[in-house]
Amino acid sequence: MSRKPWDLDFTAEPEEVAALRRIMRLHLGVWGLHEVTDAAQLCVSELVSNIITHVGAGTPATLAVSMNGTRLRIEMHDPDTRALPTVVDAGSDAENGRGMAIVDAIADRWGVLLHADRKVTWCELATGLNTPNGHVDGAGVARAEALLGLREATGLFCEASPNRLSRTLAAEAASDVIVDFLHWLRAHGCDEEEVLDRAQTRFEAQITQA
């Protein structure tokens, strides 16, 4: 599946954090990256809180999310190039820096990029993907994804098989395809039983009309 980069401009205010977390969960659900959703939401919360604390509430900022290879990359852009994120020791009494200590603990890596007009604080999370466009859930999901791409060009089965053995093999292949699509639906957070019921209803309606 293609996971295109996206970004969102927002104002760094405490009340914006919950909305950004929801948006992050929604997008990662679409991307099939449910396993890293909690960690990604926590990173977003801490990066926004860092801007509010060290740059100031009301600061215009941008959340940018992309894939860097098989890692999920989260960037937080703000206009202050002086207030650099720091990490404090967990046992320290200091209040500042604890947010970045959390990011440091859960992210694979993080850093800061300085530009003439802005600062970019970024972190990357391991996703468990084998390829940038792959899935976490194994070969069945990958096969279903391939079938989705090929369906328009070829179709799964062009015509009825001429003998009983061929029909039996085709039926087994069709069963495998259905199982693969069920894996694909679950990987994308869909209710597979609801989809099956909807498909059965549509199939029966088409048979009746025919």
Side-chain angles (χ1 to χ4, degrees):
M1 99 177 315
S2 176
R3 298 180 174 93
K4 296 181 179 179
W6 58 273
D7 57 70
L8 177 67
D9 295 331
F10 67 97
T11 301
E13 299 281 4
E15 55 268 26
E16 292 293 321
V17 175
L20 291 171
R21 288 172 61 91
R22 287 194 297 271
I23 291 169
M24 196 70 184
R25 177 172 291 276
L26 174 64
H27 277 275
L28 294 186
V30 172
W31 282 4
L33 300 179
H34 307 282
E35 297 300 320
V36 297
T37 297
D38 290 343
Q41 286 183 307
L42 183 54
C43 285
V44 167
S45 296
E46 298 303 332
L47 292 175
V48 176
S49 297
N50 191 69
I51 294 176
I52 295 172
T53 300
H54 298 287
V55 183
T59 298
T62 301
L63 168 64
V65 181
S66 61
M67 296 298 298
N68 183 16
T70 59
R71 291 187 176 91
L72 176 71
R73 184 179 178 91
I74 301 170
E75 297 181 355
M76 202 65 67
H77 300 231
D78 73 74
D80 193 333
T81 58
R82 297 168 300 171
L84 301 182
T86 58
V87 176
V88 298
D89 183 78
S92 172
D93 293 331
E95 293 297 325
N96 296 339
R98 290 190 179 276
M100 293 312 301
I102 294 174
V103 172
D104 183 66
I106 64 178
D108 270 19
R109 55 189 183 184
W110 70 275
V112 181
L113 299 174
L114 294 178
H115 300 274
D117 59 343
R118 71 189 188 281
K119 170 175 83 262
V120 179
T121 306
W122 60 269
C123 66
E124 293 182 352
L125 301 171
T127 62
L129 295 172
N130 292 322
T131 64
N133 295 327
H135 291 281
V136 179
D137 295 286
V141 176
R143 287 195 299 269
E145 189 73 31
L147 284 171
L148 284 174
L150 292 172
R151 182 179 182 277
E152 291 298 325
T154 62
L156 296 178
F157 302 100
C158 296
E159 59 184 8
S161 301
N163 58 64
R164 184 175 179 180
L165 177 59
S166 295
R167 286 197 300 270
T168 300
L169 293 175
E172 289 296 323
S175 177
D176 290 340
V177 168
I178 292 170
V179 170
D180 286 344
F181 273 109
L182 291 174
H183 281 296
W184 185 88
L185 289 166
R186 174 167 290 189
H188 286 76
C190 301
D191 184 339
E192 58 266 28
E193 292 185 2
E194 179 184 350
V195 174
L196 280 174
D197 289 341
R198 190 162 64 245
Q200 181 68 29
T201 300
R202 184 179 302 174
F203 173 75
E204 292 173 354
Q206 291 175 353
I207 292 298
T208 301
Q209 292 173 359

